[in-house]
Amino acid sequence: FKAKAGIVQVDIQWCGGCGFEDKFEEAKTLIDAYFNDAKEKKKVVINSLRDPGITGNFEIRVNGDLVHSMKTQRHGFMHNNPERISAVYSAIDKALKKC
């Protein structure tokens, strides 16, 4: 993974066959709302990575680093877990500081 200068890439990979699109939208909305400053919003780019078929994935990567995984780390969904919300925000904040 190669980060673009001045940009924090947040990739949210989700299971298309499981109907997780709403969970992606909820996570995206939370991240957008937290980083709602116009300056920060331009730096945080959220990408939707829909898995074809049934994979059970709901993963969040910040500049390529896995920071949330429902399948491999049993984190569940981000939107209903304050600890995971905080961890994702912290990872994005850390990446922004490096921009």
Side-chain angles (χ1 to χ4, degrees), residues 15-39:
C15 177
C18 301
F20 289 173
E21 184 171 12
D22 61 330
K23 307 307 184 202
F24 158 74
E25 292 294 340
E26 289 171 359
K28 181 181 185 306
T29 298
L30 284 170
I31 294 167
D32 278 340
Y34 188 79
F35 296 96
N36 66 0
D37 179 283
K39 184 178 178 184

Side-chain angles (χ1 to χ4, degrees), residues 2 7 13 29 44 46 48 67-70 72 77 83 85 90 94-95:
K2 182 168 170 105
I7 301 290
Q13 180 181 354
T29 298
V44 178
I46 302 170
S48 171
V67 298
H68 179 93
S69 177
M70 184 172 86
T72 64
F77 294 109
E83 182 179 313
I85 291 170
S90 178
K94 184 177 176 182

Side-chain angles (χ1 to χ4, degrees), residues 71-88:
K71 188 173 181 179
T72 64
Q73 297 176 18
R74 302 186 193 277
H75 287 150
F77 294 109
M78 178 190 147
H79 74 282
N80 60 0
N81 185 331
E83 182 179 313
R84 297 310 314 151
I85 291 170
S86 179
V88 171

